[in-house]
Amino acid sequence: MQVIETFGHYVEKLSDTDPAKARVLLRTGWQAQNLKFRAAPDKELLPADQYLARLMMDTMLRPLKNPDQSVLVSVFTPCELMQEVGLSPYNVESFSCYLSASKAERAFLQTAEDCGISETLCSYHKTFIGAAKKGLLPAPRCIVYTTLACDANLLTFRELAELYGVPCFAIDIPACRTRQIPAAPASGEAGEQVSPEDANVAYVAGQLRELAAFLEEHTGKKIREDSLRERLARSRRTLANYDRFQKERVDKYIPADLVTPLYNGMTNNILLGTKEEEAYTEKLLASLEKAGPARGKRIYWMHIIPFWSNAVKDVFRLNENAQIVGCELAQVANLEAHSDDPYEDMAMRLLFNSLNGSISRRIDAGIRHAKETKADGVIWFNHWGCKHTLGGSQLAKKRFEEAGIPTLILDGDGCDRSHGGEGQTSTRLGAFLEMLNAGDAEM
């Protein structure tokens, strides 16, 4: 632990005086960790999850090694189009997570706030903005983001586009499934009859076609629709594999740490369409054959997991008595929504995302996934700065408990340790698990 603190301190310090050297140090440290993942993986984790740790670290290193071949993206941006033109995902939330894991986030958070960024903005976004302003994180080829779920996107990516001086493309996602159909032509002739939902899909799909042209213009490469269609088919198989794994793990004990569910939340979004992510889900399914019987309390986690928190680690990291059996962010797609047109297919994945629109859609999805994993309880994590999550917490608790699932509302921050409240977190988690165990004793 002291090694990590020293490493983070030097990354922060060098960022003030020599950002290029700080970047080299950061990249070298992460490469060393990647070698450790390969040479000495955590044997308590599934082989599939050992593979996932390497896959995620490879994803993080590519923008540091070849920033001109990367595209800065928000977490739910459909990256299949970027893969087709050879660009690697460079994700704001992921980089901030890794900076926090390297204990180097505090100086970057402060830099963002000193530059006028509100303290209440999501700490993931503030960390990245601060690191970019210091010159630690390199400029990408371009930026692509959506308006989906996180209102911080509207500020962060415009700020970064101006800072880096690179082209930027925003995908507007309507907040609900229906959208006003355009009025009939002035001549009075009846236009084509389209359902509101189809109009919505067409609206987003049209933007994605414009995105394809944008990417072709800025990379000089062409997107072939037949190849893109194959990628979307791979994406659907990947999501279906993960969904099947979650349903079939109900009677199995799967060792769990705090970062693997977060990796799932990242890779099930930004790496969809890659052979590597599909291979991971196939490895997950294969692992079920060797898994032992289920034991301990099973917790489904809503929103971000504060992986850095010792209070949370003490309860859930590789603990047979209590495990996190799923994380909302890994299961946001509606698997029933599908089109043979690749652009409409991506549009549906965005529009029908469980985090898009009303809080009820999100809660319904959470209840369904928690029941599929036979969760004994749910933790709804109120990440500081996330208005959507904070505002829906009390309704969520009511709805989950009406569905028969005990729910704990836990306040904290997924990235910024200064908003931790470790003592309170430990007390509340302990009391929640004690309540779940007491319920068993009464039966």
Side-chain angles (χ1 to χ4, degrees), residues 180-377:
Q180 184 68 40
I181 298 178
S187 63
E189 297 178 3
E192 181 182 0
Q193 295 299 305
V194 183
S195 73
E197 187 169 294
D198 286 347
N200 222 3
V201 170
Y203 169 65
V204 178
Q207 293 179 76
L208 294 174
R209 289 188 173 89
E210 292 175 10
L211 172 58
F214 169 88
L215 293 169
E216 289 177 339
E217 176 187 353
H218 292 290
T219 64
K221 297 180 181 179
K222 290 292 182 182
I223 294 174
R224 294 184 4 253
E225 192 159 310
D226 57 343
S227 178
L228 181 61
R229 188 174 285 108
E230 289 178 13
R231 280 197 187 275
L232 267 295
R234 188 179 296 124
S235 294
R236 291 192 298 276
R237 291 195 303 269
T238 299
L239 292 172
N241 285 345
Y242 190 80
D243 188 62
R244 179 184 157 198
F245 169 76
Q246 286 294 98
K247 290 175 180 176
E248 294 183 6
R249 70 180 293 173
V250 293
D251 298 317
K252 306 287 186 179
Y253 170 64
I254 306 295
D257 58 1
L258 301 189
V259 294
T260 298
L262 289 177
Y263 290 157
N264 293 149
M266 287 296 110
T267 60
N268 272 1
N269 288 289
I270 65 173
L271 293 187
L272 278 182
T274 66
K275 293 178 180 178
E276 292 82 2
E277 179 65 2
E278 183 178 25
Y280 166 65
T281 59
E282 291 170 346
K283 290 175 186 291
L284 274 181
L285 290 171
S287 71
L288 291 170
E289 298 177 7
K290 297 181 180 179
R295 50 190 179 273
K297 290 303 172 187
R298 305 165 65 83
I299 302 297
Y300 195 84
W301 196 283
M302 297 294 289
H303 204 38
I304 291 296
I305 300 171
F307 65 92
W308 55 265
S309 168
N310 288 328
V312 180
K313 288 179 186 176
D314 290 344
V315 175
F316 292 119
R317 188 182 185 280
L318 300 171
N319 184 358
E320 293 186 6
N321 298 316
Q323 312 105 43
I324 296 172
V325 296
C327 179
E328 170 192 32
L329 297 180
Q331 295 183 276
V332 293
N334 182 340
L335 301 186
E336 296 178 359
H338 168 58
S339 170
D340 290 331
D341 180 288
Y343 294 96
E344 289 185 356
D345 204 36
M346 288 183 284
M348 288 179 174
R349 198 168 78 222
L350 293 167
L351 280 164
F352 306 154
N353 184 300
S354 63
L355 295 178
N356 191 40
S358 74
I359 192 68
S360 290
R361 183 191 297 181
R362 181 180 182 184
I363 295 169
D364 288 341
I367 291 171
R368 182 174 69 254
H369 293 141
K371 286 186 172 182
E372 286 173 352
T373 57
K374 292 187 179 178
D376 297 294

Side-chain angles (χ1 to χ4, degrees), residues 96-109:
S96 294
C97 265
Y98 274 68
L99 288 171
S100 181
S102 302
K103 296 203 170 181
E105 85 283 1
R106 187 61 250 168
F108 305 126
L109 286 162

Side-chain angles (χ1 to χ4, degrees), residues 414-434:
C415 186
D416 184 356
R417 288 172 171 80
S418 69
H419 291 149
E422 287 285 82
Q424 184 183 61
T425 297
S426 180
T427 299
R428 301 197 68 207
L429 284 175
F432 185 59
L433 289 173
E434 186 176 330

Side-chain angles (χ1 to χ4, degrees), residues 370-433:
K371 286 186 172 182
E372 286 173 352
T373 57
K374 292 187 179 178
D376 297 294
V378 161
I379 293 178
W380 181 281
F381 186 67
N382 273 342
H383 168 65
W384 173 263
C386 184
K387 300 177 183 65
H388 190 267
T389 303
L390 291 164
S393 60
Q394 292 305 315
L395 176 60
K397 181 176 174 64
K398 180 176 182 290
R399 290 276 310 281
F400 274 103
E401 293 187 342
E402 285 175 348
I405 308 171
T407 301
L408 171 66
I409 305 299
L410 189 64
D411 297 327
D413 197 295
C415 186
D416 184 356
R417 288 172 171 80
S418 69
H419 291 149
E422 287 285 82
Q424 184 183 61
T425 297
S426 180
T427 299
R428 301 197 68 207
L429 284 175
F432 185 59
L433 289 173

